[in-house]
């Protein structure tokens, strides 16, 4: 990896504008139609407020969604958008990223859309390191289809499709993303406007597949799913990562993260030496460390890690494809009759009457 590679951002080569943009400039004329109290409203407002920072032309922003409540997102932004088909948003975004380097491509998806029917597309987009920013809204339920359990619903979850409680073991979404070798992986809470903006800013700047899980509330079919992370005592549960800082949390910093065997564990700060407390390094090329961080989060929300888990540089799939095409053109220049020659092939036949 060269120094110039490291200086690239996800929107390098995307046309910019000198016009001063504000959140209202990214607000479309469409009526926002989510249920009152839905966490999607906060995410939309945060994204609208953040986008002007990029300084990109609105016509060079592309938001691709699949199916679900989150998939309405492109309608509410005054930028280009594509409401695609169930689970296939990463595949469509891949085609756009490869063929249109002048676009900043974003994927908006939900836990059902991305992790069930779209699971295969998601992991391959991450594995290939496509230059897209993926926002996964996780409310641990199917909302649009009226309350069935999803791939992130906790064990025992009673829903319309699991009246006796779900027996499925849910995905740990960050573990899944890191297992697919995502070069950028992060988590934020919808109600944490500051934390969400910090994560979005870093994800947008990262050249490669940026995966951001956003924990959000569904007030109709899974109300209060993440209340333990919002109400009194949340400080004892939320482990917020800051690069270069010791991982300490709690009301008075009474808990910390230490190394234990091949992984990480939570300990009482008073019981360990200061040097034993893990200092977070989001830029280490050690995937095991980031994966171990993801395993500190549990489905019962006793502990949830948020912030940027990993941010490393690796050649993107779309950059590599375009470089390969340029090399092919150099080796065999394209002439005016090249297409016809390709269609004819090496041998031709004339079919008579």
């Amino acid at each position: 990896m060269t120094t110039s590679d490291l200086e690239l951002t996800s929107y390098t080569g995307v046309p910019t504008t000198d016009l001063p943009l504000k959140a209202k400039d990214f607000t479309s004329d469409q009526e926002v139609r989510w249920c009152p109290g839905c966490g999607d409203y906060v995410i939309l407002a945060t994204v609208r407020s953040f986008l002007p920072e990029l300084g990109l032309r609105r016509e060079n922003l592309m938001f691709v969604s699949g199916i679900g409540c989150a998939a309405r997102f492109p309608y509410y932004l005054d930028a280009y958008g594509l409401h695609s088909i169930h689970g296939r948003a990463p595949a469509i975004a891949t085609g756009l990223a490869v063929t249109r380097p002048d676009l900043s491509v974003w994927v908006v998806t939900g836990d059902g859309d991305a992790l069930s029917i779209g699971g295969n597309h998601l992991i391959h987009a991450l594995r290939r390191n496509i230059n897209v920013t993926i926002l996964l809204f996780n409310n641990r339920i199917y909302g649009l289809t009226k309350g069935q359990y999803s791939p992130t619903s906790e064990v025992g979850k009673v829903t319309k499709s699991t009246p006796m409680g779900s027996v499925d073991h849910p995905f740990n979404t960050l573990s899944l993303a890191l297992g697919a070798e995502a070069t950028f992986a992060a988590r934020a809470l919808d109600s944490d406007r500051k934390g969400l903006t910090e994560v979005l800013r870093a994800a947008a700047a990262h050249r490669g597949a940026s995966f951001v899980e956003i924990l959000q509330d569904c007030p109709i079919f899974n109300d209060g799913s993440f209340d333990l992370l919002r109400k009194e005592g949340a400080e004892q549960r939320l482990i917020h990562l800051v690069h270069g800082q010791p991982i300490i949390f709690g009301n008075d910093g009474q808990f910390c993260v230490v190394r234990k065997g091949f992984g990480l564990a939570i300990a009482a700060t008073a019981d360990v030496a200061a040097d034993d407390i893990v200092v977070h390094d989001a830029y280490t090329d050690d995937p095991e460390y980031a994966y171990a961080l993801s395993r500190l989060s549990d489905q019962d929300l006793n502990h949830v890690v948020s912030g940027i888990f990993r941010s490393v540089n690796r050649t993107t799939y779309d950059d590599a494809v375009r470089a390969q095409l340029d090399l092919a053109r150099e080796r065999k220049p394209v002439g005016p009759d090249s297409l016809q020659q390709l269609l004819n092939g090496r041998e031709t036949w004339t079919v008579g009457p």
Side-chain angles (χ1 to χ4, degrees):
M1 190 71 65
T2 66
T3 302
S4 60
D5 290 329
L6 299 179
E7 293 171 350
L8 296 176
T9 65
S10 69
Y11 41 89
T12 296
V14 180
T16 58
T17 178
D18 294 328
L19 296 175
L21 297 174
K22 298 181 180 179
K24 65 179 182 180
D25 295 312
F26 291 92
T27 302
S28 75
D29 61 357
Q30 298 299 299
E31 178 188 358
V32 181
R33 301 187 65 182
W34 285 314
C35 301
C38 178
D40 290 357
Y41 284 99
V42 181
I43 302 171
L44 176 63
T46 305
V47 170
R48 282 175 175 169
S49 299
F50 159 74
L51 286 177
E53 291 186 21
L54 301 181
L56 303 178
R57 291 168 50 180
R58 287 176 297 169
E59 56 266 39
N60 291 91
L61 282 165
M62 171 59 81
F63 283 79
V64 185
S65 64
I67 297 297
C69 295
R72 295 174 177 170
F73 206 84
Y75 293 104
Y76 308 140
L77 289 173
D78 195 1
Y80 276 110
L82 181 61
H83 190 174
S84 69
I85 53 179
H86 209 184
R88 271 64 178 184
I92 294 169
T94 296
L96 286 165
V98 171
T99 59
R100 291 290 303 273
D102 61 322
L103 296 180
S104 173
V105 183
W106 298 64
V107 170
V108 178
T109 184
D111 46 302
D113 183 55
L115 298 175
S116 55
I117 191 170
N120 193 48
H121 295 291
L122 175 67
I123 62 174
H124 288 297
L126 298 175
R127 175 184 65 84
R128 287 170 167 160
N129 200 32
I130 311 296
N131 188 34
V132 298
T133 303
I134 302 171
L135 307 182
L136 189 153
F137 298 9
N138 182 8
N139 56 18
R140 306 207 289 186
I141 203 77
Y142 277 97
L144 190 67
T145 50
K146 307 299 184 286
Q148 298 84 2
Y149 83 105
S150 85
T152 57
S153 296
E154 61 272 30
V155 173
K157 184 70 177 179
V158 175
T159 73
K160 292 179 179 179
S161 55
T162 54
M164 295 180 65
S166 171
V167 297
D168 271 10
H169 184 76
F171 275 127
N172 179 319
T173 51
L174 266 295
S175 295
L176 178 70
L178 291 164
E181 299 192 52
T183 54
F184 182 98
R187 177 187 285 132
L189 188 63
D190 59 356
S191 56
D192 180 11
R193 189 82 174 260
K194 179 182 177 182
L196 178 55
T197 302
E198 289 176 355
V199 164
L200 290 175
R201 187 178 291 120
H206 178 75
R207 191 167 190 84
S210 297
F211 177 84
V212 179
E213 178 192 26
I214 306 173
L215 308 180
Q216 52 110 199
D217 192 37
C218 174
I220 304 302
F221 298 108
N222 203 18
D223 192 25
S225 180
F226 295 108
D227 276 359
L228 288 175
L229 306 180
R230 309 177 200 276
K231 298 183 177 180
E232 184 178 353
E235 297 86 355
Q236 315 288 73
R237 301 170 182 273
L238 271 172
I239 306 171
H240 186 65
L241 304 172
V242 179
H243 175 72
Q245 296 295 318
I247 307 178
I248 298 174
F249 65 102
N251 285 322
D252 301 309
Q254 63 267 50
F255 302 108
C256 64
V257 174
V258 297
R259 294 193 178 274
K260 182 179 180 182
F262 292 106
L264 301 174
I266 294 167
T269 307
D271 295 341
V272 301
D275 290 344
D276 291 335
I277 300 174
V278 173
V279 175
H280 180 51
D281 185 358
Y283 306 122
T284 178
D285 202 20
D286 174 11
E288 288 82 6
Y289 165 69
Y291 186 83
L293 279 175
S294 74
R295 303 313 295 172
L296 291 173
S297 298
D298 58 70
Q299 62 170 315
D300 296 324
L301 307 184
N302 292 306
H303 295 103
V304 173
V305 182
S306 68
I308 301 168
F309 288 64
R310 186 180 195 227
S311 180
V312 298
N313 290 284
R314 176 158 53 88
T315 301
T316 69
Y317 176 86
D318 37 305
D319 285 339
V321 167
R322 288 191 293 271
Q324 196 173 68
L325 290 173
D326 290 341
L327 180 61
R329 291 189 187 99
E330 289 177 12
R331 290 179 175 176
K332 190 172 183 180
V334 177
D337 298 324
S338 296
L339 178 59
Q340 191 58 48
Q341 292 171 4
L342 179 64
L343 293 174
N344 289 343
R346 295 185 179 180
E347 297 180 5
T348 60
W349 295 265
T350 300
V351 179

Coordinates of all heavy atoms in Angstrom, one line a residue, residues 141-142 145-150 153 157-167:
I141 N -36.3 -6.8 14.7 CA -37.6 -7.2 14.4 C -37.9 -6.9 12.9 O -37.2 -6.1 12.3 CB -38.7 -6.5 15.2 CG1 -40.0 -7.3 15.4 CG2 -38.9 -5.1 14.7 CD1 -39.9 -8.4 16.3
Y142 N -38.8 -7.7 12.3 CA -39.4 -7.3 11.0 C -40.5 -6.3 11.2 O -41.6 -6.7 11.7 CB -39.9 -8.5 10.2 CG -38.8 -9.3 9.5 CD1 -38.3 -10.5 10.1 CD2 -38.4 -8.9 8.2 CE1 -37.3 -11.2 9.4 CE2 -37.4 -9.7 7.6 CZ -36.9 -10.8 8.2 OH -35.9 -11.5 7.5
T145 N -43.3 -6.0 7.7 CA -44.2 -7.1 7.5 C -44.9 -7.4 8.8 O -45.4 -8.5 9.0 CB -43.4 -8.3 7.0 OG1 -42.2 -8.5 7.8 CG2 -43.0 -8.1 5.6
K146 N -44.9 -6.5 9.8 CA -45.7 -6.5 10.9 C -45.3 -7.4 12.1 O -46.2 -8.1 12.7 CB -47.2 -6.7 10.5 CG -47.7 -5.8 9.4 CD -47.7 -4.4 9.9 CE -48.3 -3.4 8.8 NZ -47.4 -3.2 7.7
G147 N -44.0 -7.4 12.4 CA -43.6 -8.0 13.7 C -43.2 -9.4 13.8 O -43.4 -10.0 14.8
Q148 N -42.6 -10.0 12.7 CA -42.0 -11.3 12.9 C -40.6 -11.2 13.4 O -39.9 -10.1 13.3 CB -41.9 -12.0 11.5 CG -43.3 -12.3 10.9 CD -43.8 -11.1 10.1 OE1 -43.1 -10.0 10.0 NE2 -45.0 -11.2 9.6
Y149 N -40.0 -12.2 14.0 CA -38.7 -12.1 14.6 C -37.7 -12.1 13.4 O -37.9 -12.6 12.3 CB -38.4 -13.3 15.5 CG -38.0 -14.6 14.8 CD1 -36.6 -15.0 14.9 CD2 -38.9 -15.4 14.2 CE1 -36.2 -16.2 14.3 CE2 -38.5 -16.6 13.6 CZ -37.2 -17.0 13.6 OH -36.8 -18.2 13.0
S150 N -36.5 -11.5 13.7 CA -35.5 -11.3 12.6 C -34.2 -12.0 13.0 O -34.1 -12.6 14.1 CB -35.2 -9.8 12.5 OG -34.3 -9.3 13.4
S153 N -33.1 -10.9 16.5 CA -33.9 -11.0 17.6 C -33.3 -11.9 18.7 O -32.7 -13.0 18.3 CB -35.3 -11.5 17.2 OG -36.0 -10.7 16.4
K157 N -37.5 -14.4 22.1 CA -38.4 -13.3 21.7 C -39.7 -13.8 21.2 O -39.8 -14.6 20.3 CB -37.7 -12.6 20.5 CG -38.4 -11.3 20.1 CD -38.3 -10.2 21.1 CE -39.0 -9.0 20.7 NZ -38.9 -7.9 21.7
V158 N -40.8 -13.3 21.8 CA -42.2 -13.6 21.4 C -42.6 -12.7 20.4 O -42.7 -11.5 20.6 CB -43.1 -13.6 22.6 CG1 -44.6 -13.9 22.2 CG2 -42.7 -14.6 23.7
T159 N -43.0 -13.2 19.2 CA -43.5 -12.4 18.1 C -44.6 -13.1 17.4 O -45.0 -14.2 17.8 CB -42.3 -12.1 17.0 OG1 -42.1 -13.4 16.3 CG2 -41.1 -11.7 17.7
K160 N -45.1 -12.6 16.4 CA -46.2 -13.2 15.6 C -45.8 -14.5 15.0 O -46.6 -15.4 14.8 CB -46.8 -12.3 14.6 CG -47.5 -11.1 15.1 CD -48.0 -10.1 14.0 CE -48.7 -8.9 14.6 NZ -49.2 -8.0 13.6
S161 N -44.5 -14.6 14.7 CA -44.0 -15.9 14.0 C -43.3 -16.8 15.1 O -43.0 -17.9 14.7 CB -43.0 -15.5 12.9 OG -42.0 -14.7 13.4
T162 N -43.2 -16.3 16.3 CA -42.6 -17.1 17.4 C -43.4 -17.0 18.6 O -43.0 -16.4 19.6 CB -41.1 -16.8 17.6 OG1 -41.0 -15.4 17.9 CG2 -40.2 -17.1 16.5
P163 N -44.7 -17.4 18.6 CA -45.6 -17.2 19.8 C -45.1 -17.8 21.1 O -45.5 -17.4 22.2 CB -46.9 -17.8 19.3 CG -46.5 -18.8 18.3 CD -45.3 -18.2 17.6
M164 N -44.2 -18.8 21.0 CA -43.7 -19.5 22.2 C -42.2 -19.0 22.5 O -41.6 -19.6 23.3 CB -43.7 -21.0 22.1 CG -45.1 -21.5 22.0 SD -45.2 -23.3 21.8 CE -44.5 -23.9 23.4
G165 N -41.8 -18.0 21.7 CA -40.4 -17.5 21.9 C -39.5 -18.1 20.9 O -39.5 -19.3 20.5
S166 N -38.6 -17.2 20.3 CA -37.7 -17.7 19.3 C -36.6 -18.6 19.9 O -36.1 -18.4 21.0 CB -37.0 -16.4 18.7 OG -35.9 -16.8 17.9
V167 N -36.3 -19.6 19.1 CA -35.3 -20.6 19.5 C -34.0 -20.3 18.7 O -33.0 -21.0 18.9 CB -35.7 -22.0 19.4 CG1 -36.9 -22.3 20.3 CG2 -36.1 -22.4 17.9

